[in-house]
Amino acid sequence: MGYIQHRSEESVEDYLETILVLSKRLPAVRSIDIANELGYSKPSVSVAMKNLRNRQYITVSEEGFIRLTDEGRRLASTTYERHTILTNWFVSLGVSPETAAADACRIEHDLSDESFAAIKRHISGDV
């Protein structure tokens, strides 16, 4: 996979993860909520939502409410789990919460399923 394609997939995962997190905090998620959460422009988020809709990761109601499809929720949940576990692990190792979260965000997209499963086993003491 080329660098640009990889960054595109990483961006998809970040958007889906953000929608998942916002859906836990808000009664309904809109593009403006995503733009505010990520600090992105409304036009950038609009383009991304069109891409996610075309890939069938989200649905958008007539009112502009964004919902994850089953596949979108699966991908978002996987990314969120990786982010949460890696962040907490780094913090437990003495890394500041800010650095831990930033590092987890970079690593969560590149880590193989095998390595992530090994990290989860190690953390839970099932090594």
Side-chain angles (χ1 to χ4, degrees), residues 67-98:
R67 289 188 177 79
L68 295 167
T69 62
D70 288 344
E71 181 61 17
R73 182 168 300 285
R74 185 196 63 73
L75 188 53
S77 296
T78 298
T79 304
Y80 182 71
E81 177 191 32
R82 285 172 170 242
H83 182 89
T84 303
I85 287 175
L86 291 170
T87 298
N88 292 339
W89 186 42
F90 293 149
V91 168
S92 77
L93 295 173
V95 177
S96 73
E98 298 78 20

Side-chain angles (χ1 to χ4, degrees), residues 2 5 18 34 46-48 50 70 79 111 121:
Q5 184 180 1
T18 299
I34 298 165
S46 179
V47 168
K50 181 179 180 185
D70 288 344
T79 304
L111 193 62
R121 281 193 308 274

Side-chain angles (χ1 to χ4, degrees), residues 11-19 34 38 40 48-49 52:
S11 178
V12 164
E13 291 172 358
D14 285 340
Y15 274 109
L16 293 173
E17 181 182 12
T18 299
I19 295 167
I34 298 165
L38 295 173
Y40 295 166
M49 293 306 103
L52 294 179

Side-chain angles (χ1 to χ4, degrees), residues 1-13 51 55 109-110:
M1 179 177 346
Y3 178 75
I4 292 174
Q5 184 180 1
H6 172 73
R7 291 290 307 153
S8 175
E9 290 305 306
E10 188 174 315
S11 178
V12 164
E13 291 172 358
N51 177 34
R55 294 175 74 171
H109 305 289
D110 293 325

Side-chain angles (χ1 to χ4, degrees), residues 96-117:
S96 73
E98 298 78 20
T99 301
D103 287 346
C105 193
R106 284 189 292 276
I107 293 169
E108 69 196 23
H109 305 289
D110 293 325
L111 193 62
S112 70
D113 291 341
E114 179 183 0
S115 292
F116 182 66

